[in-house]
Amino acid sequence: MRGSDAGEGIALPAVAGPAVTLLIADDDDVTRSGLGMLLTAQPGITVVGEAADGVEAVDRARSLRPDVVLMDVRMPRLNGIDATRQLLAEATDPPRIVVITTFENDGYVTAALSAGASGFVLKRLPVRQIAEAVRVVAAGEAVLFPAALGRMVAARPLDSAAALPQAALTGREEEVLRLMSTGLSNPEIAASLTVSLETIKTHVGNVLTKLGAQNRTHAVVIAYESGLVVPRFAG
């Protein structure tokens, strides 16, 4: 999917479908209950539970089996990074993870994306945009904000940079990865390269497999860390 940045004014595509079940994990009682009330009022979302720390998030996700977990990263007992890693290691149908954070330069967010989270949102965003991010991720897309993600990786590189040289991507696969890094969806990449959507899906699948990436967001983190994509910052 496409996202211009992690701040206000982002444009997320409308995603229609059955109601998305959501678990909210945040150690701040006011934030957690407030988000719960606000997101419950949003069309197409059913909040099925809350968790006050990472251990509880893992336990409640296993018992409630939500479609999506809205995961804070700085939590006691078990942080959101390790909670994300545990949930995505589940053998059968794990939930998708959307990281929610106060600061867009939070290094914990980059680590959570590398652990397999499908995207991130800021707590200051209007609730309708947080809700739409949840719907987008539930539908199988990623919530990707290239400029903000580039700043995060530049500020705190992780340890996956070596994955790209070892992957032996073809020229076309590298081209597809570069376009993924701009936030383009599969249909938009197909239109840009004038090929079929099925061809792009095959290329994306090959990229993820060769990189050992959890999802397309993790693949983009690797692209930034390896230097294949150079962040361009405004201002």
Side-chain angles (χ1 to χ4, degrees):
M1 66 149 295
R2 177 177 297 177
S4 58
D5 205 339
E8 290 81 358
I10 60 172
L12 294 169
V15 175
V20 176
T21 54
L22 177 67
L23 172 69
I24 300 172
D26 196 298
D27 64 330
D28 184 87
D29 293 343
V30 175
T31 298
R32 191 175 65 251
S33 61
L35 280 172
M37 288 187 293
L38 292 170
L39 288 170
T40 294
Q42 293 294 307
I45 292 179
T46 300
V47 177
V48 294
E50 298 177 5
D53 58 53
V55 172
E56 191 174 24
V58 172
D59 290 344
R60 301 221 71 194
R62 286 171 175 165
S63 62
L64 296 172
R65 302 186 64 79
D67 298 315
V68 178
V69 177
L70 194 60
M71 182 82 75
D72 192 17
V73 286
R74 302 189 183 207
M75 293 187 292
R77 293 208 292 169
L78 188 70
N79 64 43
I81 302 165
D82 292 333
T84 293
R85 190 173 289 115
Q86 283 193 27
L87 285 174
L88 295 181
E90 293 289 319
T92 56
D93 196 23
R96 296 184 181 273
I97 310 294
V98 177
V99 173
I100 186 162
T101 183
T102 302
F103 306 106
E104 80 175 53
N105 63 347
D106 192 338
Y108 284 96
V109 174
T110 319
L113 296 176
S114 289
S118 294
F120 70 97
V121 292
L122 294 179
K123 292 181 180 180
R124 70 169 182 261
L125 286 178
V127 67
R128 61 180 178 77
Q129 292 184 352
I130 297 175
E132 192 57 30
V134 168
R135 296 187 199 101
V136 166
V137 165
E141 277 283 5
V143 182
L144 178 60
F145 305 101
L149 182 56
R151 284 192 290 272
M152 289 182 195
V153 173
R156 183 174 173 173
L158 297 172
D159 58 0
S160 57
L164 187 61
Q166 295 171 355
L169 299 182
T170 66
R172 177 62 77 161
E173 288 165 354
E174 283 197 7
E175 189 175 13
V176 168
L177 179 54
R178 289 180 191 274
L179 292 172
M180 288 166 57
S181 299
T182 68
L184 294 183
S185 65
N186 286 353
E188 290 167 333
I189 295 173
S192 174
L193 298 179
T194 321
V195 297
S196 72
L197 178 58
E198 289 305 312
T199 297
I200 294 304
K201 288 180 178 179
T202 298
H203 286 317
V204 170
N206 289 342
V207 167
L208 299 186
T209 298
K210 289 183 177 182
L211 292 178
Q214 295 273 359
N215 51 38
R216 64 194 296 135
T217 308
H218 186 197
V220 171
V221 170
I222 293 171
Y224 278 119
E225 290 179 340
S226 67
L228 177 69
V229 178
V230 178
R232 291 180 172 84
F233 308 133

